[in-house]
Amino acid sequence: MQWTLVIPLKPLVRAKSRLAPTAGDALRPGLALAFAQDTVAAALSCSAVRDVVVVTDDGRAAGALAELGARTVPDTPQA
């Protein structure tokens, strides 16, 4: 059996808001992207995972995660 993972990802400027007191607003987007990249890379390296789909409206994140092999689809809030 193989799995498809669906990963929701907020726009990077809003992601990982609980890190704001420590990392600040300037570092948070990069950290959020790094976390997402690590997650996608780890998932794709697992033999039980067929593919990874990332749902996001963040163009920077979509591009970076697609480079790793994830499929990306736009998030359509409240649709």
Side-chain angles (χ1 to χ4, degrees):
M1 177 183 302
Q2 289 197 307
W3 295 89
T4 296
L5 300 181
V6 178
I7 300 173
L9 181 63
K10 291 179 185 177
L12 296 176
V13 296
R14 291 190 5 240
K16 302 299 179 194
S17 59
R18 288 178 281 183
L19 293 178
T22 305
D25 289 339
L27 293 178
R28 265 189 22 244
L31 288 171
L33 180 57
F35 290 151
Q37 288 171 309
D38 287 349
T39 300
V40 167
L44 289 171
S45 73
C46 178
S47 62
V49 174
R50 180 181 61 213
D51 63 342
V52 174
V53 178
V54 178
V55 180
T56 186
D57 276 336
D58 192 289
R60 176 182 170 203
L65 299 173
E67 286 180 14
L68 294 175
R71 289 188 295 136
T72 61
V73 295
D75 184 10
T76 307
Q78 300 178 19

